[in-house]
Amino acid sequence: WVHFDRRQYPPACSTGGFPLLKRGSLSVYVLIAQDDLITLGYPTGGLDGIFGSQTQQAVRNYQQKAGLTVDGIVGCNTWRSLQEAVVGTGPTDTTIN
């Protein structure tokens, strides 16, 4: 389902994939990023699909811990890192394995 709106959002990576997310973004992609962050122990204030201040801070905290550029934006490198990091984490309150 998440790929139906590919035409509405340019991908974060030149090779495709999820769109760039930043403060103010509203979408199912924000929900995916929030779920990844929560699964990895970075609270976002909930799963609401709204990229607000708590989600931005969670992204910054994750980026710092992961050795990425800390800008609070979910771009190509942050998406790749998040998606790789959640693989194999097992089921959580919001994620099924």
Side-chain angles (χ1 to χ4, degrees):
W1 287 101
V2 297
H3 295 286
F4 277 103
D5 62 353
R6 184 188 318 188
R7 292 167 290 155
Q8 293 177 342
Y9 303 103
C13 301
S14 61
T15 57
F18 295 148
L20 182 132
L21 302 175
K22 58 186 177 181
R23 183 110 181 240
S25 296
L26 306 166
S27 71
V28 68
Y29 296 103
V30 175
L31 196 62
I32 293 166
Q34 288 173 327
D35 190 34
D36 289 351
L37 290 160
I38 291 167
T39 297
L40 297 170
Y42 299 90
T44 64
L47 292 171
D48 59 9
I50 301 168
F51 199 119
S53 62
Q54 288 180 293
T55 299
Q56 184 179 44
Q57 189 58 51
V59 170
R60 287 181 179 175
N61 292 341
Y62 174 77
Q63 290 170 328
Q64 183 176 16
K65 182 79 173 187
L68 300 167
T69 300
V70 179
D71 58 9
I73 296 171
V74 183
C76 186
N77 293 331
T78 301
W79 269 124
R80 284 185 180 152
S81 181
L82 281 171
Q83 294 302 298
E84 290 172 6
V86 297
V87 171
T89 56
T92 68
D93 290 343
T94 60
T95 305
I96 54 174
N97 201 4

Coordinates of all heavy atoms in Angstrom, one line a residue:
W1 N 0.8 -1.2 0.0 CA 0.0 0.0 0.0 C 0.8 1.3 0.0 O 0.5 2.3 -0.6 CB -0.9 0.0 1.2 CG -2.0 -0.9 1.1 CD1 -2.1 -2.2 1.7 CD2 -3.2 -0.8 0.3 NE1 -3.3 -2.8 1.4 CE2 -4.0 -1.9 0.5 CE3 -3.7 0.2 -0.5 CZ2 -5.2 -2.1 -0.1 CZ3 -4.9 0.0 -1.1 CH2 -5.7 -1.1 -0.9
V2 N 2.0 1.2 0.7 CA 2.7 2.5 0.8 C 3.3 3.0 -0.5 O 3.7 4.1 -0.6 CB 3.9 2.3 1.9 CG1 3.3 2.1 3.2 CG2 4.9 1.3 1.5
H3 N 3.4 2.1 -1.5 CA 4.0 2.5 -2.8 C 3.0 3.1 -3.8 O 3.4 3.5 -4.8 CB 4.8 1.4 -3.4 CG 5.9 0.9 -2.5 ND1 7.1 1.7 -2.4 CD2 6.1 -0.1 -1.7 CE1 7.9 1.1 -1.6 NE2 7.3 0.0 -1.1
F4 N 1.7 3.1 -3.4 CA 0.7 3.7 -4.3 C 1.0 5.2 -4.6 O 0.6 5.7 -5.6 CB -0.7 3.5 -3.8 CG -1.2 2.2 -4.1 CD1 -1.3 1.2 -3.2 CD2 -1.7 1.9 -5.4 CE1 -1.8 -0.1 -3.5 CE2 -2.2 0.6 -5.7 CZ -2.2 -0.4 -4.8
D5 N 1.5 5.9 -3.6 CA 1.7 7.4 -3.7 C 3.1 7.8 -4.2 O 3.5 8.9 -4.0 CB 1.3 8.1 -2.5 CG 2.1 7.7 -1.3 OD1 3.0 6.8 -1.4 OD2 2.0 8.3 -0.2
R6 N 3.8 6.9 -4.8 CA 5.2 7.2 -5.3 C 5.2 8.4 -6.1 O 6.1 9.2 -6.0 CB 5.7 6.0 -6.1 CG 7.2 6.3 -6.5 CD 7.8 5.3 -7.4 NE 7.4 3.9 -7.1 CZ 8.0 2.9 -7.7 NH1 8.8 3.1 -8.6 NH2 7.6 1.7 -7.4
R7 N 4.2 8.7 -6.9 CA 4.2 9.8 -7.8 C 4.0 11.1 -7.0 O 4.4 12.2 -7.5 CB 3.0 9.7 -8.8 CG 3.3 8.6 -9.8 CD 2.0 8.3 -10.6 NE 1.1 7.7 -9.6 CZ -0.2 7.7 -9.8 NH1 -0.8 8.3 -10.8 NH2 -1.0 7.1 -8.9
Q8 N 3.5 11.1 -5.8 CA 3.3 12.3 -5.0 C 4.5 12.7 -4.3 O 4.7 13.9 -4.0 CB 2.2 12.0 -4.0 CG 0.8 11.9 -4.6 CD -0.2 11.6 -3.6 OE1 0.1 11.2 -2.5 NE2 -1.5 11.7 -3.9
Y9 N 5.4 11.8 -4.0 CA 6.6 12.1 -3.2 C 7.8 11.7 -3.9 O 8.0 10.5 -4.2 CB 6.5 11.4 -1.8 CG 5.3 11.6 -1.0 CD1 4.3 10.7 -1.0 CD2 5.2 12.8 -0.3 CE1 3.1 11.0 -0.2 CE2 4.1 13.1 0.4 CZ 3.0 12.1 0.5 OH 1.9 12.4 1.2
P10 N 8.8 12.6 -4.2 CA 10.0 12.1 -4.8 C 10.8 11.3 -3.8 O 10.8 11.5 -2.6 CB 10.7 13.4 -5.2 CG 10.1 14.5 -4.4 CD 8.7 14.0 -4.0
P11 N 11.5 10.2 -4.3 CA 12.2 9.4 -3.4 C 13.4 10.1 -2.7 O 14.0 11.0 -3.3 CB 12.7 8.2 -4.2 CG 12.7 8.8 -5.6 CD 11.6 9.8 -5.7
A12 N 13.8 9.7 -1.5 CA 14.9 10.3 -0.8 C 16.3 9.9 -1.5 O 17.2 10.6 -1.4 CB 14.9 9.8 0.6
C13 N 16.3 8.7 -2.1 CA 17.5 8.3 -2.8 C 17.3 8.4 -4.3 O 16.2 8.2 -4.8 CB 17.8 6.8 -2.4 SG 18.0 6.5 -0.7
S14 N 18.4 8.6 -5.0 CA 18.3 8.7 -6.4 C 17.9 7.4 -7.1 O 17.4 7.3 -8.2 CB 19.7 9.2 -7.0 OG 20.7 8.3 -6.7
T15 N 18.1 6.3 -6.3 CA 17.8 5.0 -6.8 C 16.4 4.6 -6.5 O 16.0 3.5 -6.7 CB 18.8 3.9 -6.2 OG1 18.7 4.0 -4.8 CG2 20.2 4.1 -6.8
G16 N 15.6 5.5 -5.8 CA 14.2 5.2 -5.4 C 14.1 5.0 -4.0 O 15.0 5.3 -3.2
G17 N 13.0 4.4 -3.6 CA 12.7 4.1 -2.2 C 11.8 5.1 -1.5 O 11.0 5.8 -2.2
F18 N 11.8 5.2 -0.2 CA 10.9 6.0 0.5 C 11.2 7.5 0.3 O 12.4 7.8 0.0 CB 11.0 5.7 2.0 CG 10.5 4.3 2.4 CD1 11.1 3.6 3.4 CD2 9.5 3.7 1.7 CE1 10.6 2.4 3.8 CE2 9.0 2.4 2.0 CZ 9.6 1.8 3.1
P19 N 10.3 8.4 0.5 CA 10.5 9.8 0.3 C 11.3 10.5 1.5 O 11.3 9.9 2.6 CB 9.1 10.4 0.2 CG 8.3 9.5 1.1 CD 8.9 8.1 0.9
L20 N 11.9 11.6 1.2 CA 12.5 12.4 2.2 C 11.5 12.9 3.2 O 10.4 13.4 2.8 CB 13.3 13.6 1.6 CG 14.0 14.5 2.5 CD1 15.4 14.7 2.0 CD2 13.3 15.8 2.8
L21 N 11.8 12.8 4.5 CA 10.8 13.2 5.5 C 11.5 14.3 6.4 O 12.7 14.2 6.7 CB 10.4 12.1 6.4 CG 9.7 10.9 5.7 CD1 9.5 9.8 6.8 CD2 8.4 11.3 5.1
K22 N 10.7 15.3 6.8 CA 11.2 16.3 7.6 C 10.1 16.9 8.5 O 8.9 16.5 8.2 CB 11.9 17.4 6.9 CG 11.1 18.1 5.8 CD 11.8 19.1 5.0 CE 10.9 19.7 4.0 NZ 11.6 20.6 3.1
R23 N 10.4 17.8 9.4 CA 9.4 18.4 10.3 C 8.3 18.9 9.4 O 8.5 19.6 8.4 CB 10.0 19.4 11.1 CG 9.1 20.1 12.1 CD 9.5 19.7 13.5 NE 8.5 20.3 14.4 CZ 8.9 21.1 15.4 NH1 10.2 21.4 15.5 NH2 8.0 21.6 16.2
G24 N 7.1 18.5 9.8 CA 5.9 19.0 9.0 C 5.4 18.0 8.0 O 4.2 18.1 7.5
S25 N 6.1 16.9 7.7 CA 5.7 15.9 6.8 C 4.5 15.1 7.5 O 4.5 14.9 8.7 CB 6.8 14.9 6.5 OG 7.9 15.5 5.8
L26 N 3.6 14.7 6.7 CA 2.4 14.0 7.1 C 2.2 12.9 6.1 O 1.8 13.1 4.9 CB 1.1 14.8 7.2 CG 1.2 16.1 7.9 CD1 0.0 17.0 7.6 CD2 1.2 15.8 9.4
S27 N 2.4 11.6 6.5 CA 2.1 10.5 5.6 C 2.3 9.2 6.3 O 2.8 9.1 7.4 CB 3.1 10.6 4.4 OG 4.4 10.3 4.8
V28 N 2.0 8.1 5.5 CA 2.2 6.8 6.0 C 3.7 6.5 6.1 O 4.1 5.7 6.9 CB 1.5 5.8 5.1 CG1 2.1 5.7 3.7 CG2 1.4 4.4 5.7
Y29 N 4.5 7.2 5.3 CA 5.9 7.0 5.4 C 6.5 7.5 6.8 O 7.4 7.0 7.3 CB 6.7 7.7 4.3 CG 6.3 7.1 2.9 CD1 5.4 7.8 2.1 CD2 6.8 5.9 2.5 CE1 5.1 7.2 0.9 CE2 6.5 5.4 1.3 CZ 5.6 6.0 0.5 OH 5.3 5.5 -0.7
V30 N 5.9 8.6 7.3 CA 6.3 9.1 8.6 C 5.9 8.0 9.6 O 6.7 7.7 10.6 CB 5.5 10.4 9.0 CG1 5.8 10.8 10.4 CG2 5.9 11.5 8.0
L31 N 4.8 7.3 9.5 CA 4.4 6.3 10.3 C 5.4 5.1 10.3 O 5.7 4.6 11.4 CB 3.0 5.8 9.9 CG 2.2 4.9 10.9 CD1 1.9 5.7 12.1 CD2 0.9 4.5 10.2
I32 N 5.9 4.8 9.1 CA 6.9 3.7 9.0 C 8.2 4.1 9.7 O 8.7 3.3 10.5 CB 7.2 3.4 7.5 CG1 6.0 2.8 6.9 CG2 8.4 2.5 7.4 CD1 6.0 2.8 5.3
A33 N 8.6 5.4 9.5 CA 9.8 5.8 10.2 C 9.6 5.9 11.7 O 10.5 5.4 12.5 CB 10.2 7.2 9.7
Q34 N 8.4 6.3 12.2 CA 8.1 6.3 13.6 C 8.2 4.9 14.2 O 8.7 4.7 15.3 CB 6.8 7.0 13.9 CG 6.7 8.4 13.7 CD 5.3 9.0 13.8 OE1 4.4 8.4 13.4 NE2 5.3 10.3 14.3
D35 N 7.6 4.0 13.5 CA 7.6 2.6 13.9 C 9.0 2.0 14.0 O 9.4 1.4 15.0 CB 6.7 1.7 13.0 CG 6.5 0.3 13.5 OD1 6.3 0.2 14.7 OD2 6.4 -0.6 12.7
D36 N 9.8 2.3 13.0 CA 11.2 1.9 13.1 C 11.9 2.5 14.3 O 12.6 1.8 15.0 CB 12.0 2.3 11.8 CG 11.6 1.6 10.6 OD1 10.8 0.6 10.7 OD2 12.0 2.0 9.5
L37 N 11.8 3.8 14.5 CA 12.4 4.5 15.6 C 12.0 3.9 17.0 O 12.8 3.7 17.8 CB 12.2 6.0 15.5 CG 12.9 6.7 14.4 CD1 12.2 8.0 14.1 CD2 14.4 6.9 14.7
I38 N 10.7 3.7 17.1 CA 10.2 3.2 18.4 C 10.7 1.8 18.6 O 11.1 1.4 19.7 CB 8.6 3.2 18.4 CG1 8.1 4.7 18.4 CG2 8.1 2.4 19.6 CD1 6.6 4.8 18.1
T39 N 10.7 1.0 17.6 CA 11.2 -0.4 17.7 C 12.7 -0.4 18.1 O 13.1 -1.3 18.9 CB 11.1 -1.1 16.3 OG1 9.7 -1.2 16.0 CG2 11.7 -2.5 16.3
L40 N 13.4 0.6 17.7 CA 14.9 0.7 18.0 C 15.1 1.4 19.3 O 16.3 1.6 19.7 CB 15.6 1.4 16.9 CG 15.6 0.6 15.6 CD1 16.2 1.4 14.4 CD2 16.4 -0.7 15.7
G41 N 14.1 1.8 20.0 CA 14.2 2.5 21.3 C 14.3 4.0 21.3 O 14.8 4.6 22.3
Y42 N 13.8 4.6 20.2 CA 13.8 6.1 20.1 C 12.4 6.6 20.1 O 11.7 6.6 19.0 CB 14.6 6.5 18.9 CG 16.0 6.1 18.9 CD1 16.4 4.9 18.3 CD2 17.0 6.9 19.4 CE1 17.7 4.4 18.4 CE2 18.3 6.5 19.5 CZ 18.6 5.3 18.9 OH 20.0 4.9 19.0
P43 N 11.8 7.0 21.2 CA 10.4 7.3 21.3 C 10.1 8.6 20.4 O 10.9 9.5 20.4 CB 10.1 7.6 22.8 CG 11.5 7.7 23.4 CD 12.5 7.1 22.5
T44 N 9.0 8.5 19.7 CA 8.5 9.6 18.8 C 7.3 10.3 19.3 O 6.8 11.2 18.6 CB 8.2 9.0 17.4 OG1 7.1 8.1 17.5 CG2 9.4 8.3 16.8
G45 N 6.8 9.9 20.5 CA 5.5 10.5 21.0 C 4.3 9.8 20.4 O 3.2 10.2 20.7
G46 N 4.5 8.7 19.7 CA 3.4 7.8 19.2 C 3.5 7.6 17.8 O 4.3 8.1 17.1
L47 N 2.6 6.8 17.3 CA 2.5 6.4 15.9 C 1.3 7.2 15.3 O 0.1 6.8 15.5 CB 2.2 4.9 15.7 CG 3.4 4.0 16.0 CD1 2.9 2.6 16.0 CD2 4.5 4.2 15.1
D48 N 1.6 8.4 14.8 CA 0.5 9.2 14.3 C 0.7 9.7 12.8 O -0.2 10.3 12.3 CB 0.2 10.4 15.2 CG 1.4 11.3 15.3 OD1 2.5 11.1 14.6 OD2 1.4 12.2 16.2
G49 N 1.8 9.4 12.2 CA 2.1 9.8 10.9 C 2.4 11.3 10.7 O 2.4 11.8 9.6
I50 N 2.6 12.0 11.9 CA 2.9 13.4 11.9 C 4.4 13.6 12.3 O 4.8 13.2 13.4 CB 2.0 14.2 12.8 CG1 0.5 14.0 12.4 CG2 2.3 15.7 12.8 CD1 -0.5 14.4 13.4
F51 N 5.2 14.2 11.5 CA 6.6 14.4 11.8 C 6.7 15.7 12.6 O 6.9 16.8 12.0 CB 7.4 14.5 10.5 CG 8.9 14.3 10.7 CD1 9.5 13.3 10.0 CD2 9.6 15.2 11.4 CE1 10.9 13.1 10.1 CE2 11.0 15.0 11.6 CZ 11.6 13.9 10.9
G52 N 6.5 15.6 13.9 CA 6.6 16.8 14.8 C 7.9 16.8 15.5 O 8.9 16.2 15.1
S53 N 7.9 17.6 16.5 CA 9.2 17.9 17.3 C 9.7 16.6 17.9 O 10.9 16.4 18.0 CB 9.0 19.0 18.3 OG 8.0 18.6 19.3
Q54 N 8.8 15.7 18.5 CA 9.3 14.5 19.1 C 9.9 13.5 18.1 O 10.9 12.9 18.4 CB 8.2 13.9 19.9 CG 7.8 14.7 21.2 CD 6.7 14.0 22.0 OE1 5.6 13.9 21.5 NE2 7.1 13.5 23.1
T55 N 9.3 13.4 17.0 CA 9.8 12.6 15.9 C 11.1 13.1 15.4 O 12.1 12.4 15.2 CB 8.8 12.4 14.8 OG1 7.6 11.8 15.2 CG2 9.4 11.6 13.6
Q56 N 11.2 14.4 15.3 CA 12.5 15.0 14.8 C 13.6 14.8 15.8 O 14.7 14.4 15.4 CB 12.3 16.5 14.6 CG 13.5 17.2 14.1 CD 13.3 18.7 13.9 OE1 12.7 19.4 14.7 NE2 13.7 19.2 12.7
Q57 N 13.3 14.9 17.1 CA 14.3 14.6 18.1 C 14.7 13.1 18.1 O 15.9 12.8 18.3 CB 13.8 15.0 19.5 CG 14.9 15.0 20.6 CD 16.1 15.9 20.2 OE1 16.0 17.0 19.9 NE2 17.3 15.3 20.2
A58 N 13.8 12.3 17.9 CA 14.1 10.8 17.9 C 15.0 10.5 16.7 O 15.9 9.8 16.8 CB 12.8 10.0 17.7
V59 N 14.7 11.2 15.5 CA 15.6 11.0 14.4 C 17.0 11.5 14.7 O 18.0 10.9 14.4 CB 15.0 11.8 13.1 CG1 16.0 11.8 12.0 CG2 13.7 11.1 12.7
R60 N 17.1 12.7 15.3 CA 18.4 13.2 15.6 C 19.2 12.3 16.6 O 20.4 12.1 16.4 CB 18.3 14.6 16.2 CG 17.9 15.7 15.2 CD 17.8 17.0 15.9 NE 17.4 18.0 14.9 CZ 17.2 19.2 15.1 NH1 17.2 19.7 16.3 NH2 16.9 20.1 14.1
N61 N 18.5 11.8 17.6 CA 19.1 10.9 18.5 C 19.6 9.6 17.8 O 20.7 9.1 18.0 CB 18.2 10.5 19.7 CG 17.9 11.7 20.6 OD1 18.6 12.7 20.6 ND2 16.8 11.6 21.3
Y62 N 18.7 9.1 16.9 CA 19.1 7.9 16.2 C 20.3 8.2 15.3 O 21.3 7.4 15.2 CB 17.9 7.4 15.3 CG 18.4 6.2 14.4 CD1 18.6 5.0 15.0 CD2 18.7 6.4 13.1 CE1 19.0 3.9 14.2 CE2 19.1 5.4 12.3 CZ 19.3 4.2 12.8 OH 19.8 3.1 12.1
Q63 N 20.3 9.3 14.6 CA 21.4 9.6 13.7 C 22.7 9.8 14.4 O 23.7 9.3 13.9 CB 21.1 10.9 12.9 CG 20.0 10.8 11.9 CD 19.5 12.1 11.3 OE1 19.5 13.2 12.0 NE2 19.0 12.1 10.1
Q64 N 22.7 10.4 15.6 CA 23.9 10.5 16.3 C 24.4 9.2 16.8 O 25.6 8.9 16.6 CB 23.6 11.4 17.6 CG 24.9 11.7 18.4 CD 24.6 12.6 19.5 OE1 23.5 12.9 19.9 NE2 25.7 13.2 20.1
K65 N 23.6 8.3 17.3 CA 24.0 7.0 17.7 C 24.5 6.1 16.6 O 25.4 5.3 16.7 CB 22.8 6.3 18.4 CG 23.1 5.0 19.0 CD 23.8 5.1 20.3 CE 24.0 3.7 20.9 NZ 24.5 3.7 22.2
A66 N 23.9 6.3 15.4 CA 24.2 5.5 14.2 C 25.4 6.1 13.4 O 25.8 5.5 12.5 CB 23.0 5.4 13.3
G67 N 26.0 7.2 13.8 CA 27.1 7.8 13.2 C 26.7 8.5 11.8 O 27.6 8.6 11.0
L68 N 25.5 8.9 11.7 CA 25.0 9.6 10.5 C 25.1 11.1 10.7 O 25.2 11.6 11.9 CB 23.6 9.2 10.2 CG 23.3 7.7 10.0 CD1 21.8 7.4 10.0 CD2 23.9 7.3 8.7
T69 N 24.9 11.9 9.7 CA 24.8 13.3 9.8 C 23.6 13.6 10.6 O 22.5 13.2 10.3 CB 24.7 14.0 8.4 OG1 25.9 13.7 7.6 CG2 24.5 15.5 8.5
V70 N 23.7 14.4 11.6 CA 22.6 14.8 12.5 C 21.9 16.0 12.0 O 22.4 17.1 12.2 CB 23.1 14.9 14.0 CG1 21.9 15.3 14.9 CG2 23.8 13.7 14.5
D71 N 20.8 15.8 11.3 CA 20.1 16.9 10.7 C 18.6 16.8 11.0 O 17.8 17.7 10.7 CB 20.3 17.1 9.2 CG 19.9 15.8 8.4 OD1 19.3 14.9 9.0 OD2 20.3 15.8 7.2
G72 N 18.1 15.7 11.6 CA 16.7 15.6 11.9 C 15.8 15.3 10.7 O 14.6 15.4 10.8
I73 N 16.4 15.0 9.6 CA 15.7 14.7 8.4 C 15.9 13.2 8.0 O 17.1 12.7 8.1 CB 16.2 15.6 7.2 CG1 15.9 17.0 7.5 CG2 15.6 15.2 5.9 CD1 16.6 18.0 6.6
V74 N 14.9 12.5 7.6 CA 15.0 11.1 7.2 C 15.2 11.1 5.7 O 14.2 11.2 4.9 CB 13.8 10.3 7.6 CG1 14.0 8.8 7.2 CG2 13.5 10.4 9.1
G75 N 16.5 11.1 5.3 CA 16.8 11.1 3.9 C 17.3 9.7 3.5 O 17.1 8.7 4.3
C76 N 18.0 9.6 2.4 CA 18.5 8.3 1.9 C 19.3 7.5 2.9 O 19.0 6.4 3.2 CB 19.3 8.6 0.7 SG 19.8 7.1 -0.2
N77 N 20.3 8.1 3.5 CA 21.2 7.3 4.4 C 20.4 6.9 5.7 O 20.6 5.8 6.2 CB 22.4 8.1 4.8 CG 23.3 8.3 3.6 OD1 23.4 7.5 2.7 ND2 24.1 9.4 3.5
T78 N 19.6 7.8 6.2 CA 18.9 7.5 7.4 C 17.8 6.4 7.2 O 17.7 5.5 8.0 CB 18.2 8.8 8.0 OG1 19.2 9.7 8.3 CG2 17.4 8.5 9.3
W79 N 17.1 6.5 6.0 CA 16.2 5.4 5.7 C 16.9 4.1 5.6 O 16.4 3.1 6.1 CB 15.5 5.7 4.3 CG 14.2 6.4 4.4 CD1 14.0 7.6 3.7 CD2 13.0 6.1 5.1 NE1 12.7 8.0 4.0 CE2 12.1 7.1 4.8 CE3 12.7 5.0 5.9 CZ2 10.8 7.1 5.3 CZ3 11.4 5.0 6.5 CH2 10.5 6.0 6.2
R80 N 18.0 4.0 4.9 CA 18.7 2.8 4.7 C 19.2 2.2 6.1 O 19.0 1.0 6.4 CB 20.0 3.0 3.8 CG 19.6 3.1 2.4 CD 20.9 3.1 1.5 NE 20.5 3.2 0.1 CZ 21.2 3.8 -0.8 NH1 22.4 4.4 -0.5 NH2 20.8 3.9 -2.0
S81 N 19.7 3.1 6.9 CA 20.2 2.7 8.2 C 19.0 2.2 9.1 O 19.1 1.1 9.7 CB 20.9 3.9 8.9 OG 21.3 3.5 10.2
L82 N 17.9 2.9 9.1 CA 16.7 2.5 9.9 C 16.2 1.1 9.4 O 16.0 0.2 10.2 CB 15.6 3.5 9.7 CG 15.7 4.7 10.6 CD1 14.6 5.7 10.2 CD2 15.6 4.4 12.1
Q83 N 16.1 1.0 8.1 CA 15.5 -0.3 7.6 C 16.5 -1.5 7.9 O 16.0 -2.6 8.2 CB 15.3 -0.2 6.1 CG 14.2 0.8 5.7 CD 12.9 0.5 6.4 OE1 12.3 -0.5 6.1 NE2 12.4 1.4 7.2
E84 N 17.8 -1.3 7.8 CA 18.7 -2.3 8.1 C 18.7 -2.6 9.6 O 18.8 -3.8 10.0 CB 20.1 -1.9 7.6 CG 20.3 -1.9 6.1 CD 21.6 -1.4 5.7 OE1 22.5 -1.1 6.5 OE2 21.8 -1.2 4.5
A85 N 18.6 -1.6 10.4 CA 18.6 -1.8 11.9 C 17.4 -2.6 12.4 O 17.6 -3.3 13.4 CB 18.8 -0.4 12.6
V86 N 16.3 -2.4 11.8 CA 15.1 -3.1 12.4 C 14.9 -4.5 12.0 O 14.2 -5.3 12.6 CB 13.8 -2.3 12.0 CG1 13.7 -0.9 12.7 CG2 13.5 -2.3 10.6
V87 N 15.7 -4.9 10.9 CA 15.6 -6.3 10.5 C 16.1 -7.2 11.6 O 17.1 -7.0 12.2 CB 16.5 -6.6 9.2 CG1 16.6 -8.0 8.9 CG2 15.9 -5.8 8.1
G88 N 15.2 -8.2 11.9 CA 15.6 -9.2 13.0 C 15.4 -8.7 14.4 O 15.8 -9.4 15.3
T89 N 14.8 -7.6 14.6 CA 14.6 -7.1 16.0 C 13.5 -7.9 16.7 O 13.4 -7.9 17.9 CB 14.2 -5.6 16.0 OG1 13.0 -5.4 15.2 CG2 15.3 -4.8 15.6
G90 N 12.7 -8.7 15.9 CA 11.6 -9.5 16.5 C 10.4 -8.6 16.8 O 10.4 -7.4 16.6
P91 N 9.3 -9.3 17.2 CA 8.1 -8.5 17.4 C 8.1 -7.6 18.6 O 8.8 -7.9 19.6 CB 7.0 -9.6 17.6 CG 7.8 -10.9 18.0 CD 9.2 -10.7 17.4
T92 N 7.5 -6.4 18.4 CA 7.4 -5.5 19.5 C 5.9 -5.1 19.6 O 5.0 -5.7 18.9 CB 8.2 -4.2 19.3 OG1 7.6 -3.5 18.2 CG2 9.6 -4.5 19.0
D93 N 5.6 -4.1 20.4 CA 4.2 -3.7 20.5 C 3.6 -3.1 19.2 O 2.4 -3.2 19.0 CB 4.1 -2.5 21.6 CG 4.3 -3.0 23.0 OD1 4.2 -4.3 23.2 OD2 4.5 -2.2 23.9
T94 N 4.5 -2.6 18.4 CA 4.0 -2.1 17.1 C 4.6 -2.8 15.9 O 4.1 -2.5 14.8 CB 4.4 -0.6 17.0 OG1 5.9 -0.5 17.0 CG2 3.8 0.2 18.1
T95 N 5.5 -3.7 16.0 CA 6.2 -4.3 14.9 C 6.0 -5.8 15.0 O 6.3 -6.4 16.0 CB 7.7 -4.0 14.8 OG1 7.8 -2.6 14.8 CG2 8.3 -4.5 13.6
I96 N 5.6 -6.4 13.8 CA 5.6 -7.9 13.8 C 6.8 -8.3 13.0 O 7.2 -7.7 12.0 CB 4.3 -8.4 13.2 CG1 4.0 -7.8 11.9 CG2 3.1 -8.2 14.2 CD1 2.7 -8.4 11.2
N97 N 7.4 -9.4 13.3 CA 8.6 -9.9 12.6 C 8.2 -10.7 11.4 O 7.4 -11.4 11.2 CB 9.3 -10.8 13.6 CG 10.8 -11.0 13.2 OD1 11.2 -10.3 12.3 ND2 11.5 -11.8 13.9

